[in-house]
PDB file of all heavy atoms in Angstrom:
ATOM      1  N   GLY A 130       3.653  -9.724  21.760  1.00  0.00           N
ATOM      2  CA  GLY A 130       2.889  -9.657  20.509  1.00  0.00           C
ATOM      3  C   GLY A 130       1.635 -10.372  20.568  1.00  0.00           C
ATOM      4  O   GLY A 130       1.412 -11.284  21.426  1.00  0.00           O
ATOM      5  N   ALA A 131       0.738 -10.108  19.665  1.00  0.00           N
ATOM      6  CA  ALA A 131      -0.614 -10.785  19.604  1.00  0.00           C
ATOM      7  C   ALA A 131      -0.561 -12.264  19.428  1.00  0.00           C
ATOM      8  O   ALA A 131      -1.429 -12.996  19.813  1.00  0.00           O
ATOM      9  CB  ALA A 131      -1.474 -10.156  18.534  1.00  0.00           C
ATOM     10  N   ALA A 132       0.509 -12.749  18.782  1.00  0.00           N
ATOM     11  CA  ALA A 132       0.523 -14.158  18.378  1.00  0.00           C
ATOM     12  C   ALA A 132       1.193 -15.007  19.472  1.00  0.00           C
ATOM     13  O   ALA A 132       1.279 -16.218  19.351  1.00  0.00           O
ATOM     14  CB  ALA A 132       1.300 -14.360  17.094  1.00  0.00           C
ATOM     15  N   ALA A 133       1.590 -14.432  20.578  1.00  0.00           N
ATOM     16  CA  ALA A 133       2.263 -15.206  21.619  1.00  0.00           C
ATOM     17  C   ALA A 133       1.410 -16.144  22.369  1.00  0.00           C
ATOM     18  O   ALA A 133       0.170 -15.948  22.489  1.00  0.00           O
ATOM     19  CB  ALA A 133       2.948 -14.189  22.584  1.00  0.00           C
ATOM     20  N   SER A 134       2.025 -17.167  22.943  1.00  0.00           N
ATOM     21  CA  SER A 134       1.407 -18.145  23.791  1.00  0.00           C
ATOM     22  C   SER A 134       2.257 -18.236  25.043  1.00  0.00           C
ATOM     23  O   SER A 134       3.431 -18.736  24.990  1.00  0.00           O
ATOM     24  CB  SER A 134       1.241 -19.498  23.213  1.00  0.00           C
ATOM     25  OG  SER A 134       0.368 -19.462  22.104  1.00  0.00           O
ATOM     26  N   LEU A 135       1.835 -17.672  26.124  1.00  0.00           N
ATOM     27  CA  LEU A 135       2.567 -17.665  27.375  1.00  0.00           C
ATOM     28  C   LEU A 135       2.448 -18.974  28.167  1.00  0.00           C
ATOM     29  O   LEU A 135       1.370 -19.525  28.225  1.00  0.00           O
ATOM     30  CB  LEU A 135       2.173 -16.458  28.264  1.00  0.00           C
ATOM     31  CG  LEU A 135       2.406 -15.055  27.696  1.00  0.00           C
ATOM     32  CD1 LEU A 135       1.779 -14.015  28.561  1.00  0.00           C
ATOM     33  CD2 LEU A 135       3.880 -14.792  27.461  1.00  0.00           C
ATOM     34  N   PRO A 136       3.508 -19.415  28.786  1.00  0.00           N
ATOM     35  CA  PRO A 136       3.445 -20.650  29.559  1.00  0.00           C
ATOM     36  C   PRO A 136       2.335 -20.575  30.631  1.00  0.00           C
ATOM     37  O   PRO A 136       2.217 -19.524  31.308  1.00  0.00           O
ATOM     38  CB  PRO A 136       4.789 -20.784  30.209  1.00  0.00           C
ATOM     39  CG  PRO A 136       5.748 -20.048  29.260  1.00  0.00           C
ATOM     40  CD  PRO A 136       4.885 -18.881  28.733  1.00  0.00           C
ATOM     41  N   GLY A 137       1.474 -21.596  30.741  1.00  0.00           N
ATOM     42  CA  GLY A 137       0.463 -21.628  31.710  1.00  0.00           C
ATOM     43  C   GLY A 137      -0.824 -20.997  31.270  1.00  0.00           C
ATOM     44  O   GLY A 137      -1.790 -21.051  31.951  1.00  0.00           O
ATOM     45  N   LEU A 138      -0.874 -20.367  30.076  1.00  0.00           N
ATOM     46  CA  LEU A 138      -2.056 -19.763  29.556  1.00  0.00           C
ATOM     47  C   LEU A 138      -2.384 -20.301  28.123  1.00  0.00           C
ATOM     48  O   LEU A 138      -1.432 -20.718  27.452  1.00  0.00           O
ATOM     49  CB  LEU A 138      -1.895 -18.233  29.451  1.00  0.00           C
ATOM     50  CG  LEU A 138      -1.820 -17.468  30.793  1.00  0.00           C
ATOM     51  CD1 LEU A 138      -1.594 -16.008  30.484  1.00  0.00           C
ATOM     52  CD2 LEU A 138      -3.074 -17.688  31.610  1.00  0.00           C
ATOM     53  N   PRO A 139      -3.594 -20.147  27.723  1.00  0.00           N
ATOM     54  CA  PRO A 139      -3.872 -20.507  26.308  1.00  0.00           C
ATOM     55  C   PRO A 139      -3.276 -19.439  25.395  1.00  0.00           C
ATOM     56  O   PRO A 139      -2.796 -18.382  25.875  1.00  0.00           O
ATOM     57  CB  PRO A 139      -5.410 -20.496  26.253  1.00  0.00           C
ATOM     58  CG  PRO A 139      -5.923 -20.519  27.656  1.00  0.00           C
ATOM     59  CD  PRO A 139      -4.823 -19.851  28.421  1.00  0.00           C
ATOM     60  N   PRO A 140      -3.240 -19.637  24.091  1.00  0.00           N
ATOM     61  CA  PRO A 140      -2.866 -18.536  23.168  1.00  0.00           C
ATOM     62  C   PRO A 140      -3.675 -17.285  23.467  1.00  0.00           C
ATOM     63  O   PRO A 140      -4.848 -17.356  23.909  1.00  0.00           O
ATOM     64  CB  PRO A 140      -3.183 -19.120  21.796  1.00  0.00           C
ATOM     65  CG  PRO A 140      -3.103 -20.583  21.934  1.00  0.00           C
ATOM     66  CD  PRO A 140      -3.628 -20.858  23.346  1.00  0.00           C
ATOM     67  N   LEU A 141      -3.072 -16.134  23.266  1.00  0.00           N
ATOM     68  CA  LEU A 141      -3.760 -14.860  23.647  1.00  0.00           C
ATOM     69  C   LEU A 141      -5.032 -14.653  22.937  1.00  0.00           C
ATOM     70  O   LEU A 141      -5.936 -14.091  23.457  1.00  0.00           O
ATOM     71  CB  LEU A 141      -2.807 -13.702  23.310  1.00  0.00           C
ATOM     72  CG  LEU A 141      -1.530 -13.577  24.239  1.00  0.00           C
ATOM     73  CD1 LEU A 141      -0.695 -12.387  23.844  1.00  0.00           C
ATOM     74  CD2 LEU A 141      -1.946 -13.432  25.686  1.00  0.00           C
ATOM     75  N   ARG A 142      -5.205 -15.221  21.721  1.00  0.00           N
ATOM     76  CA  ARG A 142      -6.467 -15.035  21.045  1.00  0.00           C
ATOM     77  C   ARG A 142      -7.630 -15.710  21.843  1.00  0.00           C
ATOM     78  O   ARG A 142      -8.777 -15.291  21.763  1.00  0.00           O
ATOM     79  CB  ARG A 142      -6.451 -15.578  19.578  1.00  0.00           C
ATOM     80  CG  ARG A 142      -6.208 -17.052  19.491  1.00  0.00           C
ATOM     81  CD  ARG A 142      -6.151 -17.489  18.064  1.00  0.00           C
ATOM     82  NE  ARG A 142      -6.015 -18.966  17.944  1.00  0.00           N
ATOM     83  CZ  ARG A 142      -4.840 -19.646  17.990  1.00  0.00           C
ATOM     84  NH1 ARG A 142      -3.746 -18.945  18.205  1.00  0.00           N
ATOM     85  NH2 ARG A 142      -4.785 -20.955  17.902  1.00  0.00           N
ATOM     86  N   ARG A 143      -7.266 -16.845  22.537  1.00  0.00           N
ATOM     87  CA  ARG A 143      -8.247 -17.450  23.408  1.00  0.00           C
ATOM     88  C   ARG A 143      -8.408 -16.844  24.736  1.00  0.00           C
ATOM     89  O   ARG A 143      -9.477 -16.772  25.350  1.00  0.00           O
ATOM     90  CB  ARG A 143      -7.848 -18.961  23.557  1.00  0.00           C
ATOM     91  CG  ARG A 143      -8.108 -19.753  22.266  1.00  0.00           C
ATOM     92  CD  ARG A 143      -7.511 -21.149  22.354  1.00  0.00           C
ATOM     93  NE  ARG A 143      -8.034 -21.853  23.568  1.00  0.00           N
ATOM     94  CZ  ARG A 143      -7.472 -22.919  24.104  1.00  0.00           C
ATOM     95  NH1 ARG A 143      -6.397 -23.447  23.574  1.00  0.00           N
ATOM     96  NH2 ARG A 143      -7.978 -23.491  25.181  1.00  0.00           N
ATOM     97  N   VAL A 144      -7.303 -16.261  25.231  1.00  0.00           N
ATOM     98  CA  VAL A 144      -7.420 -15.511  26.542  1.00  0.00           C
ATOM     99  C   VAL A 144      -8.353 -14.400  26.376  1.00  0.00           C
ATOM    100  O   VAL A 144      -9.250 -14.092  27.191  1.00  0.00           O
ATOM    101  CB  VAL A 144      -6.042 -15.018  26.958  1.00  0.00           C
ATOM    102  CG1 VAL A 144      -6.111 -14.076  28.143  1.00  0.00           C
ATOM    103  CG2 VAL A 144      -5.088 -16.175  27.322  1.00  0.00           C
ATOM    104  N   TRP A 145      -8.153 -13.530  25.258  1.00  0.00           N
ATOM    105  CA  TRP A 145      -8.855 -12.302  25.118  1.00  0.00           C
ATOM    106  C   TRP A 145     -10.126 -12.373  24.307  1.00  0.00           C
ATOM    107  O   TRP A 145     -11.059 -11.576  24.444  1.00  0.00           O
ATOM    108  CB  TRP A 145      -7.923 -11.250  24.506  1.00  0.00           C
ATOM    109  CG  TRP A 145      -6.821 -10.833  25.372  1.00  0.00           C
ATOM    110  CD1 TRP A 145      -5.469 -10.959  25.095  1.00  0.00           C
ATOM    111  CD2 TRP A 145      -6.922 -10.106  26.622  1.00  0.00           C
ATOM    112  NE1 TRP A 145      -4.724 -10.449  26.095  1.00  0.00           N
ATOM    113  CE2 TRP A 145      -5.586  -9.947  27.059  1.00  0.00           C
ATOM    114  CE3 TRP A 145      -7.970  -9.741  27.415  1.00  0.00           C
ATOM    115  CZ2 TRP A 145      -5.312  -9.271  28.277  1.00  0.00           C
ATOM    116  CZ3 TRP A 145      -7.706  -9.061  28.578  1.00  0.00           C
ATOM    117  CH2 TRP A 145      -6.328  -8.867  29.021  1.00  0.00           C
ATOM    118  N   GLY A 146     -10.204 -13.279  23.322  1.00  0.00           N
ATOM    119  CA  GLY A 146     -11.197 -13.190  22.256  1.00  0.00           C
ATOM    120  C   GLY A 146     -12.628 -12.938  22.728  1.00  0.00           C
ATOM    121  O   GLY A 146     -13.186 -11.892  22.513  1.00  0.00           O
ATOM    122  N   ASP A 147     -13.216 -13.918  23.396  1.00  0.00           N
ATOM    123  CA  ASP A 147     -14.654 -13.818  23.786  1.00  0.00           C
ATOM    124  C   ASP A 147     -14.759 -12.694  24.907  1.00  0.00           C
ATOM    125  O   ASP A 147     -15.807 -12.030  24.883  1.00  0.00           O
ATOM    126  CB  ASP A 147     -15.146 -15.152  24.321  1.00  0.00           C
ATOM    127  CG  ASP A 147     -15.304 -16.166  23.207  1.00  0.00           C
ATOM    128  OD1 ASP A 147     -15.319 -15.788  22.076  1.00  0.00           O
ATOM    129  OD2 ASP A 147     -15.390 -17.361  23.570  1.00  0.00           O
ATOM    130  N   ALA A 148     -13.800 -12.618  25.771  1.00  0.00           N
ATOM    131  CA  ALA A 148     -13.919 -11.576  26.828  1.00  0.00           C
ATOM    132  C   ALA A 148     -13.928 -10.214  26.351  1.00  0.00           C
ATOM    133  O   ALA A 148     -14.731  -9.374  26.892  1.00  0.00           O
ATOM    134  CB  ALA A 148     -12.767 -11.847  27.895  1.00  0.00           C
ATOM    135  N   VAL A 149     -13.081  -9.924  25.349  1.00  0.00           N
ATOM    136  CA  VAL A 149     -13.047  -8.555  24.779  1.00  0.00           C
ATOM    137  C   VAL A 149     -14.338  -8.295  24.017  1.00  0.00           C
ATOM    138  O   VAL A 149     -14.861  -7.196  24.121  1.00  0.00           O
ATOM    139  CB  VAL A 149     -11.810  -8.443  23.893  1.00  0.00           C
ATOM    140  CG1 VAL A 149     -11.912  -7.108  23.020  1.00  0.00           C
ATOM    141  CG2 VAL A 149     -10.552  -8.425  24.705  1.00  0.00           C
ATOM    142  N   THR A 150     -14.802  -9.300  23.229  1.00  0.00           N
ATOM    143  CA  THR A 150     -16.051  -9.052  22.493  1.00  0.00           C
ATOM    144  C   THR A 150     -17.184  -8.788  23.413  1.00  0.00           C
ATOM    145  O   THR A 150     -18.046  -7.813  23.219  1.00  0.00           O
ATOM    146  CB  THR A 150     -16.365 -10.344  21.631  1.00  0.00           C
ATOM    147  OG1 THR A 150     -15.309 -10.505  20.705  1.00  0.00           O
ATOM    148  CG2 THR A 150     -17.717 -10.133  20.876  1.00  0.00           C
ATOM    149  N   GLU A 151     -17.253  -9.525  24.556  1.00  0.00           N
ATOM    150  CA  GLU A 151     -18.339  -9.297  25.548  1.00  0.00           C
ATOM    151  C   GLU A 151     -18.194  -7.912  26.210  1.00  0.00           C
ATOM    152  O   GLU A 151     -19.156  -7.215  26.453  1.00  0.00           O
ATOM    153  CB  GLU A 151     -18.313 -10.391  26.616  1.00  0.00           C
ATOM    154  CG  GLU A 151     -19.401 -10.270  27.652  1.00  0.00           C
ATOM    155  CD  GLU A 151     -19.384 -11.428  28.599  1.00  0.00           C
ATOM    156  OE1 GLU A 151     -18.710 -12.454  28.385  1.00  0.00           O
ATOM    157  OE2 GLU A 151     -20.105 -11.293  29.634  1.00  0.00           O
ATOM    158  N   ALA A 152     -16.899  -7.496  26.491  1.00  0.00           N
ATOM    159  CA  ALA A 152     -16.697  -6.199  27.117  1.00  0.00           C
ATOM    160  C   ALA A 152     -17.095  -5.119  26.237  1.00  0.00           C
ATOM    161  O   ALA A 152     -17.699  -4.107  26.648  1.00  0.00           O
ATOM    162  CB  ALA A 152     -15.184  -6.098  27.462  1.00  0.00           C
ATOM    163  N   LEU A 153     -16.784  -5.218  24.928  1.00  0.00           N
ATOM    164  CA  LEU A 153     -17.221  -4.195  23.989  1.00  0.00           C
ATOM    165  C   LEU A 153     -18.777  -4.143  23.823  1.00  0.00           C
ATOM    166  O   LEU A 153     -19.344  -3.077  23.643  1.00  0.00           O
ATOM    167  CB  LEU A 153     -16.578  -4.432  22.643  1.00  0.00           C
ATOM    168  CG  LEU A 153     -15.072  -4.231  22.537  1.00  0.00           C
ATOM    169  CD1 LEU A 153     -14.469  -4.647  21.196  1.00  0.00           C
ATOM    170  CD2 LEU A 153     -14.712  -2.780  22.844  1.00  0.00           C
ATOM    171  N   HIS A 154     -19.397  -5.341  23.913  1.00  0.00           N
ATOM    172  CA  HIS A 154     -20.868  -5.405  23.913  1.00  0.00           C
ATOM    173  C   HIS A 154     -21.416  -4.588  25.069  1.00  0.00           C
ATOM    174  O   HIS A 154     -22.325  -3.806  24.953  1.00  0.00           O
ATOM    175  CB  HIS A 154     -21.294  -6.811  23.889  1.00  0.00           C
ATOM    176  CG  HIS A 154     -22.797  -6.969  23.949  1.00  0.00           C
ATOM    177  ND1 HIS A 154     -23.466  -7.029  25.150  1.00  0.00           N
ATOM    178  CD2 HIS A 154     -23.731  -7.025  22.970  1.00  0.00           C
ATOM    179  CE1 HIS A 154     -24.808  -7.109  24.845  1.00  0.00           C
ATOM    180  NE2 HIS A 154     -24.949  -7.181  23.574  1.00  0.00           N
ATOM    181  N   ASP A 155     -20.838  -4.794  26.304  1.00  0.00           N
ATOM    182  CA  ASP A 155     -21.284  -4.161  27.493  1.00  0.00           C
ATOM    183  C   ASP A 155     -21.029  -2.600  27.432  1.00  0.00           C
ATOM    184  O   ASP A 155     -21.794  -1.832  27.951  1.00  0.00           O
ATOM    185  CB  ASP A 155     -20.606  -4.751  28.737  1.00  0.00           C
ATOM    186  CG  ASP A 155     -21.067  -6.144  29.034  1.00  0.00           C
ATOM    187  OD1 ASP A 155     -22.070  -6.595  28.432  1.00  0.00           O
ATOM    188  OD2 ASP A 155     -20.375  -6.852  29.748  1.00  0.00           O
TER     189      ASP A 155
END
Side-chain angles (χ1 to χ4, degrees):
S134 294
L135 296 173
L138 292 178
L141 290 178
R142 66 181 182 276
R143 288 172 52 198
V144 172
W145 290 119
D147 290 344
V149 167
T150 298
E151 183 177 346
L153 292 173
H154 177 272
D155 292 344

